[in-house]
Amino acid sequence: MFIFLSKLLDLLLSPLSWGLLLGVLGLVLSRRRARLAAWLQGLGLLVLYLFSTQPVATGLQRWVEAGVVSTYRPDEVYDAVIVLGGAVDSSATERSGLPEYNQPVERILRGFELLRDGHARHVLLAAGTLDMRPEALVEADVLARQLRMWGIAPERIFTEKRSRNTRENAVESERIIRQQGWKRLVLVTSAAHMPRALRTFEAVGLKPDTLAVDVRAHEWDFHGASWQPRASNLSAGTDALRELFGRLVYRLRGWA
């Protein structure tokens, strides 16, 4: 039920949804409350415009990435690097038969580099699926296959395939880590996701170092920023809002 509600809230947290809802509400009221309807439709357009601009998107991205510090120590040899999922485009991977990636592909790239360069002995790929089909791809399996293709020995690769969110990433990873007796750990995920991920792993008793990747926030330049609306800005701002709300929910539930 929580997974279903979280996906519903994802929809409601989108500025695109806000703009469309305001527009539809304006249409419904256009005959009875013409002035109010015009205001609602104008507000809907304003929401869509503002969240489609670079200054707003950059501001939100800098907010979610503020204070993120990587504590990774390059002179350390970690027992395991924990790589969180979110990088694989499952639908495209099913169609092509090869691994296809989303923006956070840096997660698996950095994990591979740590293994290749001897900074980590093992990797734990924490990435399940929300797809209930029996034949559905599981992201951890896709990432494990990719690492084997890149030359990483199978015995160094561990997969956690049951998790559907960050909380379950931490719970299921802790079980595997305890079984393997690993002590020195480094957690790899996107910079925007790192604060919530780290607090969630700490809540189950793990104390990993951190390596934040997939940094999206640009330098703030209000005067030089483009005010031209772009779909990419709308998407970036929406992702930032979802992460901020996710932090609030995890805190209220005592998960982080």
Side-chain angles (χ1 to χ4, degrees):
M1 179 60 71
F2 176 79
I3 299 297
F4 170 77
L5 290 176
S6 68
K7 297 308 171 185
L8 177 61
L9 285 172
D10 274 352
L11 176 64
L12 296 177
L13 285 169
S14 168
L16 178 58
S17 298
W18 305 343
L20 292 175
L21 287 173
L22 287 167
V24 170
L25 186 56
L27 287 174
V28 171
L29 296 175
S30 59
R31 291 187 177 181
R32 292 176 296 171
R33 306 282 299 275
R35 181 172 295 181
L36 176 60
W39 276 101
L40 290 173
Q41 290 175 327
L43 181 59
L45 290 173
L46 180 62
V47 167
L48 289 177
Y49 170 71
L50 288 177
F51 280 94
S52 298
T53 61
Q54 183 182 349
V56 172
T58 297
L60 288 169
Q61 288 178 313
R62 289 179 67 86
W63 186 3
V64 295
E65 293 181 5
V68 174
V69 176
S70 293
T71 59
Y72 163 72
R73 293 168 289 171
D75 58 339
E76 180 73 87
V77 178
Y78 292 94
D79 293 326
V81 51
I82 309 165
V83 176
L84 300 189
V88 172
D89 186 328
S90 298
S91 297
T93 298
E94 285 187 356
R95 291 196 301 272
S96 72
L98 295 171
E100 306 289 349
Y101 294 102
N102 299 312
Q103 276 191 337
V105 66
E106 290 92 341
R107 300 182 186 186
I108 188 61
L109 292 177
R110 295 294 90 76
F112 165 68
E113 289 170 0
L114 294 182
L115 292 166
R116 180 197 62 191
D117 298 338
H119 296 299
R121 296 187 177 92
H122 308 93
V123 60
L124 174 56
L125 303 169
T129 180
L130 291 172
D131 194 332
M132 302 301 293
R133 295 175 303 147
E135 71 276 15
L137 290 177
V138 177
E139 182 170 358
D141 289 335
V142 176
L143 296 176
R145 181 177 62 165
Q146 180 72 84
L147 289 176
R148 291 194 296 270
M149 291 172 60
W150 286 342
I152 302 301
E155 60 269 20
R156 301 177 68 189
I157 304 171
F158 290 75
T159 56
E160 180 283 293
K161 300 186 283 188
R162 299 173 61 181
S163 60
R164 298 165 295 173
N165 57 29
T166 305
R167 162 68 175 177
E168 294 179 1
N169 283 158
V171 171
E172 298 298 331
S173 293
E174 189 276 336
R175 177 179 57 81
I176 296 173
I177 289 167
R178 178 166 32 85
Q179 290 173 348
Q180 296 300 319
W182 296 332
K183 301 298 182 183
R184 292 172 294 181
L185 307 166
V186 58
L187 177 65
V188 176
T189 191
S190 300
H193 184 229
M194 183 60 80
R196 178 161 60 101
L198 178 59
R199 287 194 292 266
T200 305
F201 272 74
E202 290 176 339
V204 299
L206 299 175
K207 303 292 183 183
D209 285 345
T210 59
L211 180 55
V213 300
D214 184 34
V215 176
R216 295 298 167 186
H218 300 159
E219 290 296 326
W220 183 261
D221 182 8
F222 184 83
H223 297 289
S226 171
W227 289 90
Q228 179 180 350
R230 295 185 182 277
S232 58
N233 292 327
L234 184 62
S235 177
T238 299
D239 289 343
L241 289 172
R242 287 171 176 165
E243 179 57 37
L244 290 169
F245 187 77
R247 294 178 190 180
L248 175 62
V249 171
Y250 271 50
R251 188 172 301 168
L252 291 176
R253 295 201 58 145
W255 289 351

